[in-house]
Amino acid sequence: MWWQTPRPPLVCANCQARLGKGATFCGRCGGKNLLTAREFESVEAREWHPVNNFKAAENLRQRAVARIAAMTEATACASCREFYDPPVAFCTSCGADIAHKKLSDKTIFAVLQRGFPQLLQSPDDVDRLRQSKPAAEK
């Protein structure tokens, strides 16, 4: 039956937050422009035209810089491999102390490379983007 069909996870088109099934508004920015993950990936793939569309390329760079900044402050549980945003000090799955387990650039690269393949070719690119200035400050 149609009401038993599983609903796909959603992505906010404004801030790219991953949302649970059945969300109506984004929990991060409050936006209502939600897409399925498949729709978002197809839109994101069409946006990438650096020669023809500088604005899309700059938007992608800014999103990558924001994600890198967020993941630089995140922690991870070594046993469960779950990621947590600060100020979490203990894993909610196994109770391990994760207060001082910051993510390495290699881990950040491995997690974000699928989402930003045009910008992240090596772990060195994570540090390069982390040190770059946002467009408003240039």
Side-chain angles (χ1 to χ4, degrees):
M1 300 287 169
W2 64 269
W3 63 85
Q4 294 174 336
T5 305
R7 296 179 73 184
L10 300 172
V11 179
C12 176
N14 298 331
C15 69
Q16 292 76 44
R18 301 282 177 178
L19 306 168
K21 299 173 183 174
T24 305
F25 293 93
C26 175
R28 184 185 298 163
C29 72
K32 192 172 178 170
N33 191 8
L34 307 180
L35 304 169
T36 64
R38 184 174 289 164
E39 289 171 338
F40 178 74
E41 288 169 5
S42 71
V43 167
E44 195 169 48
R46 283 183 297 205
E47 277 185 3
W48 182 252
H49 300 290
V51 174
N52 300 330
N53 195 345
F54 175 77
K55 193 171 184 177
E58 183 59 24
N59 183 25
L60 186 67
R61 188 191 71 78
Q62 288 177 3
R63 289 194 332 245
V65 168
R67 293 282 291 140
I68 289 169
M71 290 198 75
T72 300
E73 297 300 317
T75 57
C77 179
S79 59
C80 299
R81 300 192 187 272
E82 293 289 329
F83 294 101
Y84 297 98
D85 291 326
V88 176
F90 296 93
C91 176
T92 59
S93 296
C94 70
D97 182 4
I98 60 170
H100 304 289
K101 308 255 194 255
K102 297 294 182 187
L103 304 178
S104 68
D105 282 354
K106 287 182 181 180
T107 303
I108 294 171
F109 169 75
V111 172
L112 295 182
Q113 203 275 330
R114 283 189 64 206
F116 302 100
Q118 299 90 352
L119 297 174
L120 298 173
Q121 302 295 320
S122 74
D124 295 333
D125 293 335
V126 171
D127 191 48
R128 178 183 54 80
L129 284 171
R130 181 184 297 120
Q131 295 176 6
S132 69
K133 293 181 180 179
E137 294 180 16
K138 286 185 178 179

